[in-house]
Amino acid sequence: DQEDIPEAPEEETEAVLDLLNDEDVEEIDLDEEDLEQDSFEEVVEPEENVEETSEETMEASPDLGLPFGSDEDFSEYDPQEMDKNRLLAERFDGYLGAMERFYNQYPLIKGGTFRTGSPNPGKLERRETNITLADCYIGRFPVTNALFEVFVERTGYRTTAEKMGYGTVFQPRFRKIKDPATGELKAVWMAETGSKRIEGAVWHAPEGPGSAIHGKRNHPVVQVSIEDARRFAAWIGKRLPTEDEWEAAARTAEGLSYPWGNSWQSQAANVESTGIGETTAVDTFTEGQNAFSLMDLVGNVLEWTQSPMEGLHQNVSQIPFFIAKGGSYITAGEPALWARYPLRPDFTSNILGFRCLVD
């Protein structure tokens, strides 16, 4: 079937910087005593209702699930309402083609005792400890552009970045560029590092006007706030993982430092040293999957969790920072699975996405 053939990823030449290695990025200055009132914008609360639709579109969908545009689509996830969650998941799966279904897998994470935290914790890290978790199912991949597009098309949902009118765009410091004439790879170091708020940088134009997700349907969706991630998850009968759940699933019962083991493998993740300098398809780095078959746990994009950062909040509104995990394609060094990245809940960028979980 021609429709099942994935599009070949196009080479992108637009530059897109490391979240934790750039001291000039105001949004992510992580020292609590340095967090000044003027450093933060008022959090934009997503609208409670989606855009108005005609009576015809409000009629019951021929597919499984709730009517198009129903407010109930965005109700909070309730682990006790398993019948409803299953119905929502089946409806969403019914909207997908064969290729999209491949990226909508949820392997079982068998409950038990798991190790979390760092054996030598730094300033932001937790001390190593053992936790007990129940069975759950977690996304094998981060949510892709194709899956998020279905959500937007079916609901008319507008993301936080679309409402605010801008998103944060990071530039990679290191990138490999192929000479089209000779095929020779050249390593390029950017003279300047930094990030900018770019007007028009949203999920379908992640680096601003002129950028697009064409040819990137199987790349992780970015420029999404934690509220956007929660809304998508609730619409498909799922939720965001907690930090413990994310880390336990990533490290497995062996408590590994990296998905594949305790020694870094340079070609197993899309990080700064890999030299790609942009997102890749979520199933590109097969060597980086763990024993649960989860992929992209390190590198490519950071991933939201629903866990707030203890003792770290915005001084004015007392709104907590939330923890992202996993590093991104601009992360320097060898990011371990216990690393934590505290972010404002309304923060959106071209290096930040999410994956979902269901009890």
Side-chain angles (χ1 to χ4, degrees):
D1 189 337
Q2 291 290 335
E3 294 180 356
D4 292 342
I5 300 177
E7 298 179 17
E10 296 181 356
E11 292 191 6
E12 300 289 332
T13 57
E14 290 190 34
V16 185
L17 188 211
D18 189 310
L19 195 56
L20 291 186
N21 292 289
D22 178 11
E23 297 179 354
D24 296 329
V25 182
E26 292 184 2
E27 285 99 342
I28 53 172
D29 187 350
L30 302 175
D31 293 327
E32 184 174 7
E33 59 271 19
D34 294 334
L35 298 177
E36 299 179 354
Q37 176 174 347
D38 295 338
S39 299
F40 302 101
E41 302 289 341
E42 181 180 357
V43 177
V44 176
E45 293 294 335
E47 300 173 0
E48 290 298 322
N49 297 315
V50 296
E51 296 177 353
E52 294 183 0
T53 56
S54 65
E55 292 182 2
E56 288 78 11
T57 58
M58 289 297 292
E59 293 177 0
S61 168
D63 297 293
L64 292 171
L66 300 171
F68 177 92
S70 167
D71 291 340
E72 193 175 357
D73 290 355
F74 297 115
S75 60
E76 289 295 323
Y77 172 89
D78 186 346
Q80 302 302 318
E81 296 185 0
M82 295 311 298
D83 289 340
K84 175 185 174 183
N85 294 333
R86 188 178 299 110
L87 187 65
L88 290 169
E90 290 175 352
R91 180 193 65 172
F92 179 64
D93 196 62
Y95 294 149
L96 307 180
M99 185 55 66
E100 286 80 11
R101 288 194 186 100
F102 174 78
Y103 296 110
N104 194 42
Q105 299 181 52
Y106 283 79
L108 171 65
I109 309 301
K110 192 68 176 174
T113 301
F114 297 86
R115 188 182 310 158
T116 61
S118 170
N120 299 295
K123 186 174 182 179
L124 295 174
E125 296 168 345
R126 301 182 296 176
R127 185 169 299 280
E128 188 175 77
T129 187
N130 289 328
I131 62 170
T132 302
L133 291 181
D135 292 358
C136 64
Y137 298 86
I138 192 167
R140 185 183 180 195
F141 307 102
V143 173
T144 63
N145 286 315
L147 299 181
F148 197 78
E149 184 177 36
V150 172
F151 166 61
V152 171
E153 288 181 345
R154 292 283 174 173
T155 64
Y157 181 79
R158 294 179 65 230
T159 62
T160 299
E162 289 173 303
K163 294 173 184 176
M164 294 194 300
Y166 63 84
T168 300
V169 175
F170 290 85
Q171 302 288 332
R173 291 177 290 186
F174 175 68
R175 194 170 189 175
K176 294 175 183 176
I177 299 178
K178 181 182 290 187
D179 187 320
T182 65
E184 180 182 1
L185 283 175
K186 296 181 180 180
V188 177
W189 285 92
M190 304 296 292
E192 298 181 358
T193 61
S195 68
K196 294 182 179 180
R197 285 182 172 179
I198 303 295
E199 291 187 6
V202 296
W203 72 272
H204 54 81
E207 297 170 26
S211 64
I213 58 173
H214 177 69
K216 296 182 176 181
R217 291 177 59 78
N218 55 356
H219 287 222
V221 65
V222 294
Q223 294 290 4
V224 287
S225 68
I226 194 170
E227 182 66 17
D228 301 331
R230 283 171 168 167
R231 292 293 184 107
F232 172 90
W235 191 70
I236 65 171
K238 296 177 174 61
R239 62 175 173 87
L240 293 183
T242 64
E243 181 183 16
D244 279 343
E245 290 167 338
W246 190 99
E247 191 172 329
R251 299 178 67 176
T252 72
E254 297 183 50
L256 302 173
S257 302
Y258 308 104
W260 51 83
N262 290 314
S263 299
W264 179 256
Q265 294 183 18
S266 59
Q267 297 302 314
N270 181 11
V271 293
E272 183 186 68
S273 60
T274 313
I276 296 175
E278 61 181 344
T279 60
T280 52
V282 294
D283 57 344
T284 298
F285 290 85
T286 55
E287 295 180 4
Q289 68 180 326
N290 72 359
F292 292 133
S293 79
L294 306 186
M295 298 188 66
D296 263 8
L297 293 163
V298 170
N300 214 7
V301 295
L302 292 164
E303 299 178 17
W304 283 113
T305 74
Q306 62 172 294
S307 297
M309 185 72 172
E310 309 90 341
L312 189 61
H313 53 75
Q314 301 178 32
N315 292 338
V316 178
S317 59
Q318 301 296 305
I319 294 177
F321 285 68
F322 285 83
I323 297 167
K325 303 285 284 186
S328 74
Y329 64 84
I330 61 171
T331 301
E334 303 171 357
L337 292 170
W338 56 70
R340 315 171 89 194
Y341 304 80
L343 302 173
R344 288 178 1 200
D346 63 335
F347 181 74
T348 68
S349 84
N350 59 331
I351 60 168
L352 176 61
F354 67 101
R355 77 178 70 210
C356 299
L357 174 145
V358 64
D359 297 278

